[in-house]
Amino acid sequence: MILTDNISYLKKLAPSVWDRLYQFEQQFDWVNDIELIQSKIGLPTLTKKNSQGLTTFIHSKYDPLQEAEQIIDQYRNEITQYQHVVFFGVGLGYHIEVFTKRYPNITFSICEPNKEILYQYLSNKKLDDFSSGSLKDIYLVENEQESLVCVSSILKIAAKKTLVIILPSYRRLFREEFSYFENNFSKSIINKKSEMRINIAFEKRWIINGINNLYNVLTSSDILHVDSKLFKNKPVLIVAAGPSLEEEIENIRYVKENKLAYIFSIGSAINALLSNDIIPDAVCTYDPSELNQVVFANLIERGLDNIPMIFGSTVAYEILQKYLGPKYHMLINQDLIAYHYLKRNDGEPLIFLNDAPTIAVVTLQLLAKLGANPVVLVGQNLAYRDNQYYAKGIDYDHIPTSRNSDKNLVKVKDIEGNEIFTSHGLNSMRLQIENCIRSNGMKNVINTTVGGAEIAGTNYIPMKNVINEILVNQVVESNWEHHVSSRGYDISYALTQSQVMEQEKEKFKIIVFEFRKILSDISRQAEMKNRKRLNKLFNKFDDKFTRLQNNKFYLHMINRMSRVHFEVVMSMFQEIRYQKDEITKAQRVVDEFGSYLDHCLLNTAIVEPLMNELHGKIKLLYNKNLGDK
């Protein structure tokens, strides 16, 4: 029976695990393949029977404690480099006890794939024997889905590197369960690193673009409020810039001339289309990078200002300043500026599309909401073809355009089941496209890309067949953009929100000034080793931090421009939470949070003039609307 102390501990730490163990305890049909026996030195150990009745020891049958020491010894040169440790397999916890004695300040989690083993452990060992606060969570991971949830939760705890230590016997006894965990852990680490790279690259641009673009959003129409009949059940081609595009040019021209489907150009495909004198029905763009303007340099230089541009609200602001043609917007969920300033006149909620690693995913989301059917992918290779990344005629200095330029290649299946090379970036885009199709319930997405990577959720049909069998009627309405409703935002609300933001900005500056004083006091009291005074200052710091978190200027602008730095600070707070030495804690808070405040003030200097300009434009727009009335 589970120890009473452990029941109380579990109910607080991992209530769902306690519920499952309680249900397990009530069962009368246990398999009983786990047995508690004595080792040669008299310490308890566990055995497990397999389906053939053969017994395997989970710990050493001679000396479980010595074995535990040896397990932790294997990691002695690297453990201190990690913020968090995950123990896959608890057994009777000997190795965890050794770890906590040696490294009392490093947090850890337990992942156990067998209920009966965890039950035996909790019936024989006390959880509160561990250092206070070092055990973060306990997980039961009996299948792949539970493993995924476990990994996701662990990586939220540990912003830095996490070390996995597996009890050696579990490699044999729970091979499949550990494989699930290991694969999910590896994928999640890759995704987290990718997310970190994206945040580093764009955290400032998302806010700067959002501020600069808001006037264009207020004075343009939301594409998602188009006449519901315009695209509903109408075919739309999403034309991408993959190497297969060049052989589809004449097919696209035929579709265009006969008005058989709307043609939406994404990314660099616009340059291939223009070089072949094909004008798409719209160009879609969302990339926040300033390099995105290079994609449209040809369009702008040629003075082609008759193509509707559908832009994500966080797109590189330089494009909107330079392109003089008609513009229609789609709100992107990274745009916290829009969240604060916008309210629709009709009372309908704002609709945001999810940011993604490729414009193809954003455009698919858009077309799913518009009800387009079928959606036809053209030039969406998502892999190299004949050593090429882009279709002929597309070349950039800042992007590798051939396979020879990319050393990190992976193999995937193409549309005919053959192996082809792709990059990790392109493969991530493919997985995101598949997820978008699945999550939006898109049932009729056609992939026409010859030699392209297989995309789950699509049907491969050659473009010629699509034209002959599916695109058989004229559907395109000339000047379709006239069917998009006029701008629908409440300008008086935007003006009020600009006044709120001005007030919040001034409050933020006061909070920062007060934080500076507190940090100075903490530093001085730490030098004097006045621990009693430090504890009072830490409480004062916590109150001020709560005020900071509630400040709208900080939340919508400054914090979002410092996401990565903020994660580092929050990780520091986690690490020192159970630090008993107030002096060490004080030094870290002063150094790391002080550095974060410096970063926030630099970002304030960046956004303040942009915000002032935006607020001036909103006021002029409000006055103009009053005059028009």
Side-chain angles (χ1 to χ4, degrees), residues 495-506:
L495 181 63
T496 299
Q497 291 300 91
S498 68
Q499 294 164 351
V500 169
M501 191 61 81
E502 289 286 351
Q503 294 166 1
E504 291 290 292
K505 180 189 68 176
E506 296 309 312

Side-chain angles (χ1 to χ4, degrees), residues 535-567:
N535 282 323
K536 290 181 179 179
L537 286 170
F538 287 143
N539 290 333
K540 196 173 179 181
F541 181 96
D542 290 342
D543 292 341
K544 195 67 61 184
F545 191 74
T546 300
R547 280 185 60 196
L548 180 68
Q549 295 297 301
N550 291 328
N551 182 272
K552 290 183 174 63
F553 176 72
Y554 171 77
L555 283 177
H556 289 274
M557 296 189 185
I558 303 307
N559 176 260
R560 291 297 172 160
M561 293 177 73
S562 313
R563 297 183 193 197
V564 176
H565 206 144
F566 182 71
E567 280 193 27

